[in-house]
Amino acid sequence: MNSFMKLFASLFLFVFSSLLFGDIDVVESSNKNLRFSGRNKLFVFGDSYADTGNTKTTDKGAWAFPYGITYPGKPSGRFSDGHISTDFLAQLLRIKLPVTYSKKDGVDKTRLQYGMSFAYGGTGVFDTKVNYPNMTGQINLFEQLLGNVYSPSDLSSSIALVSVAGNDYLYFLSTRSLNVILPFIKQVVNQIEVNLRRIHTLGIKKIAVPSLQPLGDIPHFANGSPLIKAAVNLLVAYHNDLLHKVVVKLNNETNHSAFAILDYNNAFLTVINNKGETPDILVFETPSIECFKVDVDEVKNSTLCDDPRSAFFWDGLHPTQEGWKSVYTVLRKNITAALMSKA
């Protein structure tokens, strides 16, 4: 315990000093009276927070009951009981839901005009334990469609969602020690910068990257050691501080607000801590208790809550449909200002 306390103290001092003495920058635009920009395509890169059905149907998890029990009433490849972040972002932007890359050859070609999702559940910025393309690989898939499926004019009226929900860190911590994670966080954010720059260079004019949600408050960590929870959230704060600096840097380079952070961290905490003071969102009585408790050793012993709408988290990592709805209710003004204005 003494060694862990020393590690916790050193993490706290490192992250706190970075936040305290680092530059404080405004990332999103504050323009008022914005109108819909006419953007009509959404391209999605990332992980299970954004994947609407790219993983193989033979995989367990998102393609197995009770996933999809709220929408569409059966498993759809979404890592939740229903709609997830991509669904709610498309709705807010008034863009039809993009087709998934894995299904692109089996749909009417008119569906392709709304964009495409390259997000695969379980993936990260770098390789993780799943056998799906990491973010670099996903951008490669996107690039292969340019000039054939999508033209430069298509991309000029498009938006990209770049989801990084922490799989790199969860995989890292499953194989290595917490006390060597700080340099790895820098590597992850540096690669995010490379990815954002590349997506913009390929022609997408508006790019949204969510901040990292408070991982210490997901059921996977929240219901364990308070010290572990606090340490994880300090690491999240470090990641988000680096990410904000990257976005400011990229916007300065492009001379306009092409890049925007969707503040998942604040939105998650607003919902989790809401006791009724935020009237537009539900009060979740036990926000860090998941609806679907998965017993990985004996699946038949897994338990499901009576009403997924009463839970913020669906499983140990992912919000419910109602949870995502609340998050995007908090984010609505942020999204309107940052993504629906013209670049």
Side-chain angles (χ1 to χ4, degrees):
M1 178 58 72
N2 287 338
S3 62
F4 183 83
M5 286 297 293
K6 290 179 181 178
L7 172 61
F8 177 78
S10 63
L11 285 173
F12 178 82
L13 289 173
F14 181 86
V15 176
F16 181 75
S17 62
S18 174
L19 296 176
L20 182 62
F21 299 110
D23 295 333
I24 299 175
D25 296 290
V26 176
V27 177
E28 283 84 21
S29 168
S30 60
N31 294 334
K32 297 180 180 179
N33 301 320
L34 297 168
R35 295 179 299 170
F36 179 54
S37 65
R39 301 184 191 283
N40 55 16
K41 292 177 178 60
L42 177 62
F43 293 96
V44 183
F45 307 89
D47 44 44
S48 56
Y49 269 32
D51 183 6
T52 51
N54 263 322
T55 58
K56 296 177 182 178
T57 57
T58 52
D59 285 356
K60 295 180 180 179
W63 288 105
F65 178 84
Y67 286 79
I69 193 172
T70 300
Y71 174 87
K74 60 181 180 180
S76 66
R78 291 172 173 84
F79 289 76
S80 184
D81 64 307
H83 291 113
I84 61 170
S85 61
T86 303
D87 298 284
F88 286 106
L89 179 61
Q91 181 182 22
L92 278 178
L93 296 173
R94 291 181 277 172
I95 296 174
K96 289 194 176 182
L97 188 70
V99 67
T100 55
Y101 175 81
S102 63
K103 310 296 191 302
K104 72 181 189 309
D105 296 327
V107 301
D108 189 293
K109 298 306 178 185
T110 59
R111 287 283 311 279
L112 303 181
Q113 66 182 301
Y114 306 118
M116 192 172 293
S117 173
F118 302 88
Y120 282 84
T123 63
V125 172
F126 300 119
D127 288 339
T128 58
K129 63 182 179 180
V130 300
N131 190 27
Y132 291 116
N134 64 23
M135 191 166 290
T136 298
Q138 293 172 27
I139 300 171
N140 290 343
L141 297 176
F142 167 64
E143 187 172 14
Q144 292 167 12
L145 300 179
L146 302 185
N148 182 20
V149 178
Y150 297 109
S151 67
S153 61
D154 289 327
L155 301 188
S156 66
S157 61
S158 65
I159 292 175
L161 171 64
V162 182
S163 174
V164 181
N167 285 329
D168 293 281
Y169 303 136
L170 296 176
Y171 180 62
F172 183 95
L173 292 174
S174 72
T175 57
R176 280 166 283 187
S177 171
L178 185 67
N179 61 1
V180 293
I181 198 173
L182 290 177
F184 182 65
I185 294 175
K186 294 193 73 171
Q187 292 176 32
V188 169
V189 177
N190 287 343
Q191 186 60 43
I192 292 173
E193 178 181 351
V194 171
N195 293 338
L196 295 177
R197 195 188 303 275
R198 183 180 173 200
I199 292 169
H200 187 260
T201 300
L202 289 173
I204 297 181
K205 303 304 182 186
K206 282 282 189 179
I207 301 170
V209 54
S211 63
L212 194 59
Q213 72 279 14
L215 288 173
D217 290 272
I218 66 175
H220 185 79
F221 290 114
N223 302 310
S225 165
L227 287 174
I228 291 288
K229 173 182 174 179
V232 168
N233 277 341
L234 282 170
L235 297 173
V236 168
Y238 181 52
H239 168 102
N240 286 338
D241 181 58
L242 294 176
L243 181 64
H244 273 262
K245 291 175 180 177
V246 162
V247 168
V248 170
K249 174 185 175 182
L250 291 173
N251 278 333
N252 288 337
E253 288 179 3
T254 56
N255 296 318
H256 57 72
S257 55
F259 303 88
I261 288 180
L262 303 185
D263 197 351
Y264 275 14
N265 193 272
N266 175 68
F268 271 60
L269 288 174
T270 298
V271 176
I272 288 171
N273 296 324
N274 179 43
K275 304 301 181 185
E277 64 273 13
T278 308
D280 293 338
I281 60 177
L282 287 182
V283 175
F284 296 99
E285 298 296 339
T286 53
S288 293
I289 302 296
E290 67 269 44
C291 174
F292 181 44
K293 290 181 178 290
V294 182
D295 188 326
V296 294
D297 297 318
E298 192 64 49
V299 176
K300 66 180 181 181
N301 292 335
S302 299
T303 59
L304 181 66
C305 68
D306 293 333
D307 182 11
R309 292 174 298 177
S310 66
F312 178 70
F313 280 103
W314 167 246
D315 56 22
L317 298 171
H318 307 95
T320 59
Q321 173 175 291
E322 199 63 42
W324 277 121
K325 179 181 177 181
S326 296
V327 165
Y328 271 83
T329 298
V330 174
L331 288 171
R332 183 183 296 126
K333 290 182 180 179
N334 167 261
I335 290 172
T336 301
L339 298 182
M340 296 176 74
S341 61
K342 293 192 176 184

